[in-house]
C-alpha cells in the first residue's frame, strides 16, 4: 500500500468520528507476574539447534502449532505429536512500524510480518529480510527462513525471512546439516 492510499484509508476516521464524544477515564494497570511453562518447547528448541523445524500437533483436531503450544487452542488438551515442518512460509498479514532514529530524527519504516509456516495452522510475528521493500510485500508472499550464523537452540535462530520466487523449489524438507 502506498503512503497516499494509506492516508486516504484513514480519512473516514476524521469524517465519521469527528463528533465523537469524549469522556474522562483512567486505567489503573497493576503490576503482575506472568508465569509460563517452556518445558514443552525443549524438543522444538533442540531441533532448531540442528537447523530443523518441528511443530506440535494436537491428536484430537490435527492442528499444528509453531512455535509449539502447551495447550491446543481448539480442544484445550495437550498436543503430543511432533511433526516436521518445511522452511517455507507465507505472509498471513503485515504492518509497518515507524521508528524515529533519535540521532538523526529520521523516521524509519520497518515492516513486521505475521507469517504462517507451511504445514502449520498458527502464525508467528517475525521480521522480513532488510532488503525487502515493504511496498512490495503482500498477503500470501512466499518466504523462506534465513537462519542465524550460529544456531543456539532458541527462536532467534530464525534470523528473519527471505522472499523466494518459486516455492516448489524449496518444498523439500531441510536436509540435516
Ligand atoms: Zn486440538
Amino acid at each position: 500500500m502506498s503512503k497516499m492510499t494509506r492516508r486516504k484509508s484513514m480519512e473516514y476516521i476524521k469524517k465519521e468520528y469527528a463528533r465523537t464524544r469524549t469522556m474522562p477515564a483512567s486505567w489503573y494497570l497493576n503490576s503482575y507476574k506472568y508465569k509460563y511453562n517452556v518445558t514443552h518447547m525443549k524438543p522444538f528448541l533442540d531441533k532448531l539447534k540442528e537447523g530443523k523445524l518441528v511443530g506440535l500437533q494436537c491428536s484430537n483436531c490435527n492442528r499444528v502449532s509453531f512455535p509449539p503450544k502447551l495447550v491446543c487452542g481448539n480442544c484445550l488438551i495437550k498436543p503430543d505429536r511432533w511433526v516436521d515442518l518445511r522452511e517455507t512460509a507465507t505472509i498471513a498479514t503485515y504492518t509497518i512500524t515507524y521508528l524515529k532514529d533519535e540521532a538523526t530524527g529520521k523516521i524509519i519504516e520497518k515492516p513486521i510480518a505475521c507469517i504462517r509456516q507451511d504445514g502449520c495452522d498458527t502464525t508467528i510475528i517475525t521480521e522480513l529480510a532488510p532488503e525487502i521493500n515493504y511496498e512490495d510485500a503482500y498477503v500470501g508472499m512466499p518466504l523462506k527462513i534465513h537462519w542465524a550464523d550460529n544456531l543456539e537452540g532458541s527462536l532467534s535462530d530464525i534470523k528473519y525471512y527471505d522472499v523466494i520466487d518459486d516455492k516448489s523449489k524449496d518444498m523439500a524438507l531441510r536436509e540435516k546439516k
Side-chain angles (χ1 to χ4, degrees), residues 57-63 71-77 79:
Q57 187 173 40
C58 170
S59 49
N60 189 49
C61 70
N62 290 331
R63 264 165 74 113
V71 175
C72 171
N74 222 15
C75 317
L76 305 180
I77 61 164

Side-chain angles (χ1 to χ4, degrees), residues 98-157:
Y98 298 91
L99 302 167
K100 192 174 180 182
D101 188 324
E102 290 302 330
T104 62
K106 207 179 146 198
I107 302 290
I108 305 159
E109 295 181 327
K110 194 179 163 76
I112 302 287
C114 190
I115 65 108
R116 191 186 309 276
Q117 201 71 34
D118 286 346
C120 146
D121 300 291
T122 56
T123 55
I124 179 171
I125 292 170
T126 185
E127 287 189 32
L128 300 177
E131 64 272 15
I132 300 175
N133 183 353
Y134 75 87
E135 290 187 337
D136 297 333
Y138 59 92
V139 172
M141 188 181 220
L143 305 168
K144 189 180 173 185
I145 288 179
H146 188 112
W147 294 90
D149 296 333
N150 297 310
L151 302 179
E152 293 171 338
S154 80
L155 260 178
S156 57
D157 289 345

Side-chain angles (χ1 to χ4, degrees), residues 11 14-15 24 34 38 44 57 81 85 93 103 111 120 122-123 126 135 158 161 177:
E11 276 173 10
K14 286 183 199 160
K15 279 185 196 156
Y34 180 67
V38 290
F44 166 74
Q57 187 173 40
R81 247 187 339 235
L85 296 176
T93 187
C120 146
T122 56
T123 55
T126 185
E135 290 187 337
I158 298 173
Y161 282 78
K177 272 193 174 175

Side-chain angles (χ1 to χ4, degrees), residues 6-50:
R6 240 192 347 262
R7 210 168 289 137
K8 266 197 165 169
S9 62
M10 296 297 284
E11 276 173 10
Y12 81 95
I13 292 180
K14 286 183 199 160
K15 279 185 196 156
E16 293 179 23
Y17 295 95
R19 293 188 194 180
T20 303
R21 279 179 289 175
T22 51
M23 294 196 312
S26 66
W27 282 38
Y28 173 64
L29 300 174
N30 206 345
S31 63
Y32 62 91
K33 277 186 186 161
Y34 180 67
K35 259 190 184 173
Y36 61 98
N37 190 341
V38 290
T39 48
H40 71 290
M41 295 275 277
K42 195 169 184 307
F44 166 74
L45 298 174
D46 289 346
K47 286 282 182 184
L48 277 182
K49 205 169 182 179
E50 296 171 30

Side-chain angles (χ1 to χ4, degrees), residues 75-98:
C75 317
L76 305 180
I77 61 164
K78 199 176 169 187
D80 54 5
R81 247 187 339 235
W82 291 100
V83 290
D84 290 336
L85 296 176
R86 300 179 200 287
E87 285 188 283
T88 50
T90 48
I91 293 183
T93 187
Y94 69 100
T95 188
I96 321 293
T97 57
Y98 298 91

